Amino acid sequence: MTRKTPDQFRSARWFAPDDFRSFGHRSRMNQMGYSASDYVGKPVIGIINTWSDLNQCHAHFKSRVEDVKRGVLQAGGFPVELPAISLSESKVKPTTMLYRNFLAMETEELIRSHPLDGAVLMGGCDKTTPGLILGATSAGIPAIFMPAGPMLRGNWKGKTLGSGSDTIGMFEEYRAGAITKEQLTEIENGIARSYGVCMTMGTASTMTGLADALGMSLPGASSILAADANHIRMAAATGRRAVEMVWEELTPAKIMTAGAFRNAIVVAMAMGCSTNALIHMIAMGRRAGHAIGLDDFDRMSRKVPVIANVRPSGKTYLMEDFSYAGGFLGLMSRLTPFLDLQQINTSGKTWAQSLEGAEVTNADVIRPLDNPIYQEGALAVLRGNLAPDGCVIKPAAAAAHLLTHSGPAMVFEDYPDLKARIDRDDLDVTADSILVLRNAGPLGGPGMPEWGTLPIPKKLLKQGVRDMLRISDARMSGTAYGACVLHVSPESYLGGPLALVKTGDSISVNVPARTISLDVPEAELSARRSALKPPPPRYERGYGWMFSRHIRQAHEGCDFDFLETGFGAPVGEPVIY
């Protein structure tokens, strides 16, 4: 492999010339206590750190960044830390999805505007992984992703708890009167016991796993537990590898090929991935110049079985068990019949080389292909007059009897309307009803919040109902479960068909046939459409104003139109005068 020479480093544009501007750059480095021997002729590695005091998933990044720096120094590079917006999934309101593209823009511009030769992307909490990779893809310099890692299992009186999957269920039991407030408090104190991302196969572990499958992290890094000493060693190894990638000029474009995305979609299906993966992967594919769409996921869902027996698709195990059972490399070793093993990853090696010696040590956690937890159905894409551009359901996490279902709609105009009425004893619903939430999409939410797991009405909970069909233009947490039809596109806020549904209308869903229909005559729908009034704007200024004018719909990945590859001429290097 041809190696760069120091005079070819991007950072040399800032530091090498014998002119007044470079004199100023060097003198300001001196001001910080550095000498020329620290950085001249060495790859400058920018460490994009999404740590904050309000991000529980990244609480260890304050120290992990030092481990990354140690690795960079060991390999002869010069590390510099650049903080970026953190996006704590549980705390940022109205939703982190509103700010994924903000992080992508920040990452791209941090890289482009500074004298960096390579980048380490520190992320893990749901939107940080796609946000960082989107930005690094557009920036185009060598970059490697360092995943936060899953947290430890939750525990309550000896019962293993998984974030999201069990919190949703336990809170439903509390609403139904089956557990007390005191017990609920005990669960609060036991379910999240360490730093790291959700220990279920939620959006965080889905997206770090897909970053792994794309080749953007050290092979297998995504399943190392956050609290494991191996995570510290992985952080240092990531720093070392970042330096070598600069010498080799191994950029995201050389790694994230069309074949890499096909591999990642295979892995997504086998993991029983979060529904959010579709939106993020479509955006990431389009940034990389590949036409990834909903049908690519649905097609692979029919072929690839779900073999990761991890909640919420699985019933028993969590990411800690997955890690001990062979982790991500063990999972990929099961999937070789479906994978292009000649694709490369950040190690510079092919997947055929990277999977040598990979093994599975617990065949119930990571199943063989001939004994999956589901033969197909990690995700299903539905289309019909209610969702002309598509919507998604996770069949593996839904009650089987609801996968082919017709029933009367119970419509909630927005989330406040849902909260105001869902627990009323006089709510006119039965177990056959279909709950419909609108004005929860990219524009309507705003930001497409994770409201798609509509709560079961209290009156039905008391009758023992624990799942029912729910439809919205929202997303749902990757840790969630239930018969939830999500991402209805186009969204209701734009006048999409979901805006036309009235309480009592019949809706039919047939997951095996991939159809969803509003059973109302077209003449009636046309009359309703004519009567629609445009909603008031969500934002009149600021970032929200920009978001509202440039966000794509769910089936297009919810990227900003002006950020997609091909929108305009590529952005060149900044001029230095």
Side-chain angles (χ1 to χ4, degrees):
M1 184 177 293
T2 303
R3 291 174 69 87
K4 297 178 77 169
T5 56
D7 61 293
Q8 296 173 316
F9 287 164
R10 185 173 177 271
S11 59
R13 296 182 64 239
W14 275 259
F15 300 127
D18 184 18
D19 60 18
F20 176 73
R21 189 58 60 203
S22 294
F23 163 79
H25 296 155
R26 294 189 297 268
S27 71
R28 293 304 187 178
M29 295 295 285
N30 294 341
Q31 180 183 1
M32 292 185 286
Y34 300 121
S35 63
S37 61
D38 288 318
Y39 62 90
V40 171
K42 297 179 180 181
V44 179
I45 306 298
I47 305 170
I48 314 297
N49 188 359
T50 53
W51 172 86
S52 92
D53 268 331
L54 284 176
N55 193 330
Q56 62 292 324
C57 302
H58 298 179
H60 53 317
F61 277 9
K62 200 168 190 176
S63 60
R64 284 296 183 277
V65 69
E66 300 303 320
D67 302 314
V68 176
K69 287 181 179 179
R70 173 164 49 91
V72 171
L73 291 168
Q74 289 169 347
F78 179 66
V80 291
E81 180 183 359
L82 300 168
I85 190 172
S86 190
L87 301 186
S88 168
E89 191 65 26
S90 65
K91 299 190 183 68
V92 171
K93 304 302 176 187
T95 169
T96 54
M97 189 62 189
L98 188 67
Y99 300 104
R100 183 200 70 182
N101 296 343
F102 188 108
L103 174 60
M105 293 173 71
E106 185 178 19
T107 300
E108 178 179 351
E109 299 307 325
L110 280 172
I111 291 172
R112 180 172 287 113
S113 63
H114 286 93
L116 307 181
D117 300 302
V120 174
L121 314 170
M122 296 181 62
C125 198
D126 294 15
K127 309 307 178 296
T128 58
T129 301
L132 289 163
I133 292 177
L134 283 165
T137 300
S138 295
I141 71 171
I144 183 170
F145 178 72
M146 196 219 78
M151 69 172 105
L152 300 176
R153 303 183 193 99
N155 183 277
W156 177 54
K157 295 185 175 179
K159 178 181 175 63
T160 298
L161 299 177
S163 50
S165 299
D166 283 310
T167 52
I168 294 167
M170 291 293 187
F171 200 80
E172 295 286 62
E173 296 303 316
Y174 172 66
R175 290 177 63 230
I179 62 175
T180 66
K181 178 65 174 177
E182 289 73 21
Q183 290 173 313
L184 191 68
T185 300
E186 292 173 357
I187 293 166
E188 281 182 25
N189 293 332
I191 201 161
R193 298 190 298 115
S194 78
Y195 45 73
V197 303
C198 291
M199 76 298 272
T200 45
M201 189 61 79
T203 303
S205 284
T206 289
M207 292 313 301
T208 57
L210 294 183
D212 211 334
L214 281 170
M216 286 299 291
S217 67
L218 290 177
S222 62
S223 51
I224 301 173
L225 298 175
D228 192 320
N230 284 303
H231 196 272
I232 299 173
R233 287 188 282 272
M234 180 272 290
T238 297
R240 291 192 294 272
R241 184 58 196 152
V243 175
E244 291 303 309
M245 289 173 67
V246 171
W247 289 109
E248 297 165 9
E249 204 167 1
L250 185 54
T251 61
K254 296 176 182 178
I255 295 171
M256 292 196 293
T257 64
F261 277 93
R262 285 191 292 270
N263 281 350
I265 293 171
V266 167
V267 172
M269 297 305 105
M271 288 193 301
C273 67
S274 163
T275 50
N276 290 305
L278 279 78
I279 294 175
H280 300 316
M281 287 287 285
I282 289 171
M284 291 160 65
R286 290 166 73 125
R287 281 288 188 103
H290 308 302
I292 306 299
L294 292 177
D295 291 341
D296 295 300
F297 291 87
D298 190 68
R299 189 181 308 113
M300 205 59 72
S301 177
R302 294 177 182 270
K303 297 178 181 179
V304 180
V306 181
I307 61 172
N309 190 11
V310 179
R311 301 179 201 171
S313 292
K315 304 300 181 187
T316 306
Y317 301 109
L318 296 170
M319 288 302 295
E320 187 172 346
D321 306 291
F322 181 78
S323 180
Y324 301 150
F328 185 77
L329 294 181
L331 177 77
M332 282 195 76
S333 73
R334 299 281 209 207
L335 298 172
T336 54
F338 297 102
L339 298 173
D340 178 355
L341 298 177
Q342 295 311 304
Q343 297 296 317
I344 64 169
N345 51 56
T346 58
S347 71
K349 299 177 181 178
T350 66
W351 276 110
Q353 295 169 309
S354 296
L355 291 175
E356 290 177 4
E359 62 179 334
V360 174
T361 59
N362 187 327
D364 193 40
V365 179
I366 304 174
R367 299 282 188 88
L369 292 175
D370 60 1
N371 183 34
I373 60 171
Y374 299 100
Q375 187 58 48
E376 62 173 66
L379 297 175
V381 176
L382 314 180
R383 283 189 172 86
N385 70 340
L386 193 53
D389 291 326
C391 56
V392 63
I393 187 172
K394 191 171 185 175
H401 72 280
L402 294 171
L403 299 181
T404 304
H405 182 73
S406 295
M410 169 54 67
V411 178
F412 299 95
E413 193 63 29
D414 51 28
Y415 203 77
D417 182 32
L418 172 75
K419 290 193 70 173
R421 293 196 288 136
I422 197 68
D423 286 342
R424 289 180 54 159
D425 291 334
D426 61 350
L427 191 67
D428 188 17
V429 292
T430 70
D432 290 328
S433 297
I434 298 176
L435 305 183
V436 174
L437 173 66
R438 56 183 171 225
N439 291 309
L443 287 166
M448 205 179 181
E450 292 183 341
W451 294 339
T453 317
L454 279 66
I456 305 295
K458 183 180 282 189
K459 64 183 287 186
L460 298 182
L461 283 174
K462 292 178 178 179
Q463 296 171 19
V465 176
R466 292 298 182 268
D467 199 6
M468 60 191 302
L469 201 60
R470 290 157 274 182
I471 300 173
S472 73
D473 45 16
R475 298 176 300 111
M476 78 173 181
S477 168
T479 65
Y481 57 88
C484 301
V485 177
L486 309 154
H487 311 179
V488 171
S489 188
E491 63 175 304
S492 55
Y493 189 84
L494 287 176
L498 202 65
L500 308 179
V501 184
K502 291 186 176 181
T503 294
D505 286 349
S506 175
I507 295 176
S508 297
V509 170
N510 188 322
V511 174
R514 301 300 199 260
T515 60
I516 181 169
S517 62
L518 175 58
D519 304 323
V520 174
E522 180 54 39
E524 171 63 18
L525 293 179
S526 181
R528 294 182 188 180
R529 193 175 294 111
S530 298
L532 285 178
K533 296 180 180 179
R538 291 286 192 234
Y539 294 99
E540 298 289 348
R541 61 167 298 280
Y543 174 76
W545 180 91
M546 182 179 74
F547 179 97
S548 300
R549 281 153 180 77
H550 295 285
I551 192 69
R552 294 286 198 186
Q553 286 290 287
H555 71 283
E556 300 170 304
C558 292
D559 202 357
F560 288 155
D561 53 15
F562 61 84
L563 292 178
E564 290 181 343
T565 300
F567 177 82
V571 179
E573 288 288 354
V575 295
I576 302 176
Y577 294 132

PDB file of all heavy atoms in Angstrom, residues 131-155:
ATOM      1  N   GLY A 131     -24.989  10.503  13.076  1.00  0.00           N
ATOM      2  CA  GLY A 131     -24.615  11.897  12.923  1.00  0.00           C
ATOM      3  C   GLY A 131     -23.130  12.059  12.653  1.00  0.00           C
ATOM      4  O   GLY A 131     -22.713  12.789  11.747  1.00  0.00           O
ATOM      5  N   LEU A 132     -22.300  11.370  13.433  1.00  0.00           N
ATOM      6  CA  LEU A 132     -20.859  11.446  13.256  1.00  0.00           C
ATOM      7  C   LEU A 132     -20.422  10.892  11.905  1.00  0.00           C
ATOM      8  O   LEU A 132     -19.592  11.479  11.208  1.00  0.00           O
ATOM      9  CB  LEU A 132     -20.156  10.684  14.383  1.00  0.00           C
ATOM     10  CG  LEU A 132     -20.210  11.326  15.775  1.00  0.00           C
ATOM     11  CD1 LEU A 132     -19.865  10.306  16.849  1.00  0.00           C
ATOM     12  CD2 LEU A 132     -19.265  12.528  15.858  1.00  0.00           C
ATOM     13  N   ILE A 133     -20.988   9.749  11.532  1.00  0.00           N
ATOM     14  CA  ILE A 133     -20.575   9.117  10.280  1.00  0.00           C
ATOM     15  C   ILE A 133     -21.065   9.911   9.077  1.00  0.00           C
ATOM     16  O   ILE A 133     -20.357  10.035   8.067  1.00  0.00           O
ATOM     17  CB  ILE A 133     -21.041   7.650  10.242  1.00  0.00           C
ATOM     18  CG1 ILE A 133     -20.266   6.848  11.306  1.00  0.00           C
ATOM     19  CG2 ILE A 133     -20.845   7.040   8.860  1.00  0.00           C
ATOM     20  CD1 ILE A 133     -20.683   5.396  11.427  1.00  0.00           C
ATOM     21  N   LEU A 134     -22.256  10.482   9.168  1.00  0.00           N
ATOM     22  CA  LEU A 134     -22.728  11.351   8.083  1.00  0.00           C
ATOM     23  C   LEU A 134     -21.748  12.500   7.855  1.00  0.00           C
ATOM     24  O   LEU A 134     -21.365  12.808   6.718  1.00  0.00           O
ATOM     25  CB  LEU A 134     -24.109  11.906   8.416  1.00  0.00           C
ATOM     26  CG  LEU A 134     -25.302  10.969   8.255  1.00  0.00           C
ATOM     27  CD1 LEU A 134     -26.537  11.546   8.959  1.00  0.00           C
ATOM     28  CD2 LEU A 134     -25.613  10.711   6.785  1.00  0.00           C
ATOM     29  N   GLY A 135     -21.346  13.155   8.939  1.00  0.00           N
ATOM     30  CA  GLY A 135     -20.434  14.283   8.820  1.00  0.00           C
ATOM     31  C   GLY A 135     -19.071  13.874   8.304  1.00  0.00           C
ATOM     32  O   GLY A 135     -18.491  14.545   7.439  1.00  0.00           O
ATOM     33  N   ALA A 136     -18.534  12.759   8.812  1.00  0.00           N
ATOM     34  CA  ALA A 136     -17.221  12.297   8.384  1.00  0.00           C
ATOM     35  C   ALA A 136     -17.242  11.859   6.926  1.00  0.00           C
ATOM     36  O   ALA A 136     -16.266  12.042   6.194  1.00  0.00           O
ATOM     37  CB  ALA A 136     -16.749  11.149   9.272  1.00  0.00           C
ATOM     38  N   THR A 137     -18.362  11.284   6.487  1.00  0.00           N
ATOM     39  CA  THR A 137     -18.502  10.881   5.087  1.00  0.00           C
ATOM     40  C   THR A 137     -18.354  12.082   4.176  1.00  0.00           C
ATOM     41  O   THR A 137     -17.637  12.043   3.168  1.00  0.00           O
ATOM     42  CB  THR A 137     -19.863  10.214   4.851  1.00  0.00           C
ATOM     43  OG1 THR A 137     -19.974   9.052   5.688  1.00  0.00           O
ATOM     44  CG2 THR A 137     -20.037   9.796   3.405  1.00  0.00           C
ATOM     45  N   SER A 138     -19.031  13.168   4.519  1.00  0.00           N
ATOM     46  CA  SER A 138     -18.973  14.368   3.690  1.00  0.00           C
ATOM     47  C   SER A 138     -17.618  15.064   3.788  1.00  0.00           C
ATOM     48  O   SER A 138     -17.157  15.669   2.816  1.00  0.00           O
ATOM     49  CB  SER A 138     -20.092  15.335   4.084  1.00  0.00           C
ATOM     50  OG  SER A 138     -21.354  14.767   3.802  1.00  0.00           O
ATOM     51  N   ALA A 139     -16.977  15.002   4.950  1.00  0.00           N
ATOM     52  CA  ALA A 139     -15.665  15.639   5.110  1.00  0.00           C
ATOM     53  C   ALA A 139     -14.599  14.925   4.278  1.00  0.00           C
ATOM     54  O   ALA A 139     -13.719  15.560   3.703  1.00  0.00           O
ATOM     55  CB  ALA A 139     -15.268  15.681   6.575  1.00  0.00           C
ATOM     56  N   GLY A 140     -14.663  13.587   4.268  1.00  0.00           N
ATOM     57  CA  GLY A 140     -13.846  12.821   3.333  1.00  0.00           C
ATOM     58  C   GLY A 140     -12.442  12.461   3.752  1.00  0.00           C
ATOM     59  O   GLY A 140     -11.718  11.837   2.985  1.00  0.00           O
ATOM     60  N   ILE A 141     -12.001  12.826   4.964  1.00  0.00           N
ATOM     61  CA  ILE A 141     -10.652  12.442   5.389  1.00  0.00           C
ATOM     62  C   ILE A 141     -10.726  11.094   6.117  1.00  0.00           C
ATOM     63  O   ILE A 141     -11.811  10.651   6.509  1.00  0.00           O
ATOM     64  CB  ILE A 141     -10.013  13.512   6.298  1.00  0.00           C
ATOM     65  CG1 ILE A 141     -10.684  13.545   7.690  1.00  0.00           C
ATOM     66  CG2 ILE A 141     -10.054  14.884   5.635  1.00  0.00           C
ATOM     67  CD1 ILE A 141      -9.938  14.424   8.688  1.00  0.00           C
ATOM     68  N   PRO A 142      -9.606  10.379   6.320  1.00  0.00           N
ATOM     69  CA  PRO A 142      -9.642   9.115   7.062  1.00  0.00           C
ATOM     70  C   PRO A 142     -10.316   9.290   8.415  1.00  0.00           C
ATOM     71  O   PRO A 142     -10.006  10.216   9.172  1.00  0.00           O
ATOM     72  CB  PRO A 142      -8.160   8.759   7.206  1.00  0.00           C
ATOM     73  CG  PRO A 142      -7.516   9.373   6.003  1.00  0.00           C
ATOM     74  CD  PRO A 142      -8.245  10.680   5.809  1.00  0.00           C
ATOM     75  N   ALA A 143     -11.254   8.411   8.712  1.00  0.00           N
ATOM     76  CA  ALA A 143     -12.013   8.513   9.963  1.00  0.00           C
ATOM     77  C   ALA A 143     -12.355   7.119  10.455  1.00  0.00           C
ATOM     78  O   ALA A 143     -12.623   6.212   9.657  1.00  0.00           O
ATOM     79  CB  ALA A 143     -13.294   9.324   9.750  1.00  0.00           C
ATOM     80  N   ILE A 144     -12.362   6.953  11.764  1.00  0.00           N
ATOM     81  CA  ILE A 144     -12.692   5.675  12.388  1.00  0.00           C
ATOM     82  C   ILE A 144     -13.638   5.936  13.551  1.00  0.00           C
ATOM     83  O   ILE A 144     -13.469   6.896  14.304  1.00  0.00           O
ATOM     84  CB  ILE A 144     -11.411   4.945  12.848  1.00  0.00           C
ATOM     85  CG1 ILE A 144     -11.745   3.562  13.434  1.00  0.00           C
ATOM     86  CG2 ILE A 144     -10.593   5.774  13.814  1.00  0.00           C
ATOM     87  CD1 ILE A 144     -10.504   2.698  13.669  1.00  0.00           C
ATOM     88  N   PHE A 145     -14.644   5.084  13.696  1.00  0.00           N
ATOM     89  CA  PHE A 145     -15.664   5.251  14.728  1.00  0.00           C
ATOM     90  C   PHE A 145     -15.292   4.435  15.962  1.00  0.00           C
ATOM     91  O   PHE A 145     -14.908   3.269  15.863  1.00  0.00           O
ATOM     92  CB  PHE A 145     -17.017   4.787  14.186  1.00  0.00           C
ATOM     93  CG  PHE A 145     -18.141   4.863  15.179  1.00  0.00           C
ATOM     94  CD1 PHE A 145     -18.661   6.088  15.559  1.00  0.00           C
ATOM     95  CD2 PHE A 145     -18.673   3.712  15.740  1.00  0.00           C
ATOM     96  CE1 PHE A 145     -19.683   6.164  16.485  1.00  0.00           C
ATOM     97  CE2 PHE A 145     -19.704   3.776  16.654  1.00  0.00           C
ATOM     98  CZ  PHE A 145     -20.215   5.012  17.029  1.00  0.00           C
ATOM     99  N   MET A 146     -15.399   5.057  17.149  1.00  0.00           N
ATOM    100  CA  MET A 146     -15.165   4.359  18.412  1.00  0.00           C
ATOM    101  C   MET A 146     -16.468   4.261  19.189  1.00  0.00           C
ATOM    102  O   MET A 146     -16.964   5.251  19.714  1.00  0.00           O
ATOM    103  CB  MET A 146     -14.122   5.100  19.261  1.00  0.00           C
ATOM    104  CG  MET A 146     -13.548   4.232  20.382  1.00  0.00           C
ATOM    105  SD  MET A 146     -13.272   5.091  21.950  1.00  0.00           S
ATOM    106  CE  MET A 146     -14.920   5.186  22.615  1.00  0.00           C
ATOM    107  N   PRO A 147     -17.085   3.068  19.254  1.00  0.00           N
ATOM    108  CA  PRO A 147     -18.397   2.919  19.898  1.00  0.00           C
ATOM    109  C   PRO A 147     -18.332   2.974  21.415  1.00  0.00           C
ATOM    110  O   PRO A 147     -17.361   2.522  22.027  1.00  0.00           O
ATOM    111  CB  PRO A 147     -18.859   1.533  19.424  1.00  0.00           C
ATOM    112  CG  PRO A 147     -17.593   0.785  19.142  1.00  0.00           C
ATOM    113  CD  PRO A 147     -16.598   1.813  18.672  1.00  0.00           C
ATOM    114  N   ALA A 148     -19.403   3.511  22.011  1.00  0.00           N
ATOM    115  CA  ALA A 148     -19.461   3.655  23.469  1.00  0.00           C
ATOM    116  C   ALA A 148     -19.571   2.322  24.189  1.00  0.00           C
ATOM    117  O   ALA A 148     -19.115   2.180  25.317  1.00  0.00           O
ATOM    118  CB  ALA A 148     -20.648   4.545  23.848  1.00  0.00           C
ATOM    119  N   GLY A 149     -20.210   1.332  23.555  1.00  0.00           N
ATOM    120  CA  GLY A 149     -20.381   0.027  24.179  1.00  0.00           C
ATOM    121  C   GLY A 149     -21.634  -0.061  25.027  1.00  0.00           C
ATOM    122  O   GLY A 149     -22.088   0.936  25.605  1.00  0.00           O
ATOM    123  N   PRO A 150     -22.244  -1.262  25.105  1.00  0.00           N
ATOM    124  CA  PRO A 150     -23.455  -1.443  25.910  1.00  0.00           C
ATOM    125  C   PRO A 150     -23.170  -1.401  27.409  1.00  0.00           C
ATOM    126  O   PRO A 150     -22.083  -1.764  27.858  1.00  0.00           O
ATOM    127  CB  PRO A 150     -23.959  -2.836  25.504  1.00  0.00           C
ATOM    128  CG  PRO A 150     -23.176  -3.214  24.279  1.00  0.00           C
ATOM    129  CD  PRO A 150     -21.874  -2.477  24.373  1.00  0.00           C
ATOM    130  N   MET A 151     -24.158  -0.961  28.174  1.00  0.00           N
ATOM    131  CA  MET A 151     -24.060  -0.999  29.633  1.00  0.00           C
ATOM    132  C   MET A 151     -24.292  -2.419  30.151  1.00  0.00           C
ATOM    133  O   MET A 151     -24.629  -3.335  29.389  1.00  0.00           O
ATOM    134  CB  MET A 151     -25.058  -0.028  30.261  1.00  0.00           C
ATOM    135  CG  MET A 151     -26.509  -0.433  30.108  1.00  0.00           C
ATOM    136  SD  MET A 151     -27.634   0.621  31.074  1.00  0.00           S
ATOM    137  CE  MET A 151     -28.354   1.629  29.804  1.00  0.00           C
ATOM    138  N   LEU A 152     -24.108  -2.600  31.452  1.00  0.00           N
ATOM    139  CA  LEU A 152     -24.353  -3.897  32.081  1.00  0.00           C
ATOM    140  C   LEU A 152     -25.844  -4.190  32.146  1.00  0.00           C
ATOM    141  O   LEU A 152     -26.677  -3.294  32.048  1.00  0.00           O
ATOM    142  CB  LEU A 152     -23.758  -3.916  33.486  1.00  0.00           C
ATOM    143  CG  LEU A 152     -22.243  -3.688  33.586  1.00  0.00           C
ATOM    144  CD1 LEU A 152     -21.828  -3.629  35.056  1.00  0.00           C
ATOM    145  CD2 LEU A 152     -21.476  -4.768  32.849  1.00  0.00           C
ATOM    146  N   ARG A 153     -26.174  -5.463  32.357  1.00  0.00           N
ATOM    147  CA  ARG A 153     -27.578  -5.859  32.530  1.00  0.00           C
ATOM    148  C   ARG A 153     -28.202  -5.132  33.712  1.00  0.00           C
ATOM    149  O   ARG A 153     -27.559  -4.870  34.720  1.00  0.00           O
ATOM    150  CB  ARG A 153     -27.700  -7.356  32.829  1.00  0.00           C
ATOM    151  CG  ARG A 153     -27.121  -8.317  31.853  1.00  0.00           C
ATOM    152  CD  ARG A 153     -27.451  -9.727  32.354  1.00  0.00           C
ATOM    153  NE  ARG A 153     -26.682 -10.737  31.657  1.00  0.00           N
ATOM    154  CZ  ARG A 153     -25.577 -11.294  32.131  1.00  0.00           C
ATOM    155  NH1 ARG A 153     -25.097 -10.916  33.312  1.00  0.00           N
ATOM    156  NH2 ARG A 153     -24.953 -12.219  31.438  1.00  0.00           N
ATOM    157  N   GLY A 154     -29.504  -4.872  33.575  1.00  0.00           N
ATOM    158  CA  GLY A 154     -30.254  -4.369  34.723  1.00  0.00           C
ATOM    159  C   GLY A 154     -30.652  -5.518  35.639  1.00  0.00           C
ATOM    160  O   GLY A 154     -30.643  -6.692  35.241  1.00  0.00           O
ATOM    161  N   ASN A 155     -30.987  -5.171  36.875  1.00  0.00           N
ATOM    162  CA  ASN A 155     -31.358  -6.217  37.839  1.00  0.00           C
ATOM    163  C   ASN A 155     -32.384  -5.672  38.826  1.00  0.00           C
ATOM    164  O   ASN A 155     -32.238  -4.560  39.341  1.00  0.00           O
ATOM    165  CB  ASN A 155     -30.113  -6.701  38.594  1.00  0.00           C
ATOM    166  CG  ASN A 155     -30.426  -7.836  39.547  1.00  0.00           C
ATOM    167  OD1 ASN A 155     -30.872  -7.607  40.670  1.00  0.00           O
ATOM    168  ND2 ASN A 155     -30.199  -9.054  39.102  1.00  0.00           N
TER     169      ASN A 155
END
